[in-house]
Amino acid sequence: MAKRYKWHPFIRHMGFELMDFDVTETWETRGTEAGRETFAIWWLCLHKGKFIDYFRQCRECGKWLFALVDHQSFCSDSCRKRHASHDQDFREKRRVYMRAYRRAEKEKDHHARASLSKG
């Protein structure tokens, strides 16, 4: 599986005044989707897999993400909210809230109509 990710050293001299050589890695597919994937694998290998657990799939939409905190499970706020909206506790709280909200709006409307008819 890992055979498809190939990179090789790229050595260059930094100038006649400097005796140092710059050694970096390069790969042929730079700039393409495959190049970005190869870069990600190279980066993980460079850091000895230290960050591998931070690469996850969003629990709602399935997109891959790099978690900024240990408990991050969603790629965006909209996915987090959409996922939470399916929860039974959330639905019950929302139902109770909306019932009270509609009742308050109805009372406001009633008071507004009553003040118009008096005036």
Side-chain angles (χ1 to χ4, degrees), residues 40-56 66-67 70:
I41 298 299
W42 169 82
W43 187 83
L44 284 171
C45 291
L46 182 69
H47 294 286
K48 297 174 180 64
K50 185 166 111 178
F51 301 105
I52 196 77
D53 290 336
Y54 289 93
F55 285 93
R56 305 177 183 152
F66 183 80
D70 197 34

Side-chain angles (χ1 to χ4, degrees), residues 101-116:
Y101 176 79
R102 286 188 202 103
R103 190 176 301 128
E105 287 296 307
K106 192 174 184 179
E107 286 176 20
K108 282 184 202 174
D109 190 42
H110 177 72
H111 289 300
R113 288 176 195 254
S115 67
L116 281 176

Side-chain angles (χ1 to χ4, degrees), residues 8-93:
H8 53 275
F10 179 70
I11 303 168
R12 61 183 169 186
H13 189 265
M14 298 307 290
F16 291 108
E17 298 84 31
L18 302 171
M19 296 307 292
D20 294 342
F21 285 93
D22 181 35
V23 180
T24 59
E25 290 79 16
T26 188
W27 43 89
E28 281 73 36
T29 56
R30 184 173 284 174
T32 64
E33 188 68 30
R36 287 188 284 279
E37 184 177 339
T38 301
F39 174 78
I41 298 299
W42 169 82
W43 187 83
L44 284 171
C45 291
L46 182 69
H47 294 286
K48 297 174 180 64
K50 185 166 111 178
F51 301 105
I52 196 77
D53 290 336
Y54 289 93
F55 285 93
R56 305 177 183 152
Q57 276 188 293
C58 177
R59 287 177 56 191
E60 182 63 23
C61 70
K63 277 179 29 180
W64 283 96
L65 64 115
F66 183 80
L68 300 176
V69 291
D70 197 34
H71 61 274
Q72 185 176 352
S73 300
F74 303 99
C75 65
S76 65
D77 274 349
S78 61
C79 276
R80 181 183 55 78
K81 290 175 183 176
R82 189 172 36 246
H83 182 78
S85 70
H86 301 305
D87 183 51
Q88 284 304 109
D89 289 339
F90 173 83
R91 293 172 70 106
E92 179 61 23
K93 287 177 186 175

